[in-house]
Amino acid sequence: MSILKTYARLYADSVEQSLPLLQQLTGSEEPDFRFTDGEVQLVGIGDFLLFAGPPEERAKHMHGSATVVVTDLDDLTATLIAAGAVITEAATPAPTGRYLYARHAGGPEVEYVEWTPELVQRIIPGPMGIY
């Protein structure tokens, strides 16, 4: 299991208001991905993961302190449990692949994501994008 990418999470009211600055900061014309979860739009651009929508809906995503993309969610789960972490949300399908949430010993809760092979090839440069 390897970490492919880590995202800084950003929370905003509007994608349209937030995206232009993120495009400028990252030098990206288009986001890597964009999808909707209920009333919240999620946009991955550069090393940012933007959650945009009504505050009460965004709050449902704020328990995670980071989003970490890994090569193998099953392998990671065993590693997390062996280290004393608690899986707070089991592996669940998502538009980008599948994800889980885990609370590490000491308290931080992290979202871990295993992307689809197509997404890995498109976003991760070099050998990792060809696994």
Side-chain angles (χ1 to χ4, degrees):
M1 187 282 310
S2 297
I3 293 176
L4 298 176
K5 188 168 183 66
T6 302
Y7 284 105
R9 291 171 144 226
L10 303 175
Y11 301 93
D13 295 328
S14 164
V15 168
E16 290 72 27
Q17 290 179 340
S18 301
L19 195 53
L21 177 57
L22 294 176
Q23 288 170 312
Q24 181 180 359
L25 292 172
T26 63
S28 300
E29 289 185 25
E30 293 300 321
D32 292 328
F33 59 85
R34 186 176 185 159
F35 65 93
T36 302
D37 180 13
E39 294 182 53
V40 176
Q41 293 181 63
L42 286 86
V43 178
I45 184 164
D47 291 324
F48 296 106
L49 181 57
L50 176 64
F51 293 78
E56 63 279 358
E57 293 299 314
R58 287 192 326 255
K60 296 175 184 177
H61 297 272
M62 294 177 117
H63 56 95
S65 59
T67 298
V68 179
V69 180
V70 298
T71 55
D72 187 326
L73 211 52
D74 297 324
D75 222 19
L76 171 73
T77 300
T79 300
L80 290 169
I81 291 170
V86 175
I87 306 303
T88 58
E89 187 172 343
T92 304
T96 58
R98 60 191 188 125
Y99 70 93
L100 65 77
Y101 279 87
R103 181 169 293 112
H104 294 201
E109 190 166 1
V110 177
E111 176 190 35
Y112 290 97
V113 179
E114 180 184 320
W115 277 344
T116 63
E118 179 278 326
L119 202 54
V120 172
Q121 283 186 326
R122 188 164 53 79
I123 297 172
I124 304 300
M128 290 307 270
I130 316 174
Y131 84 100

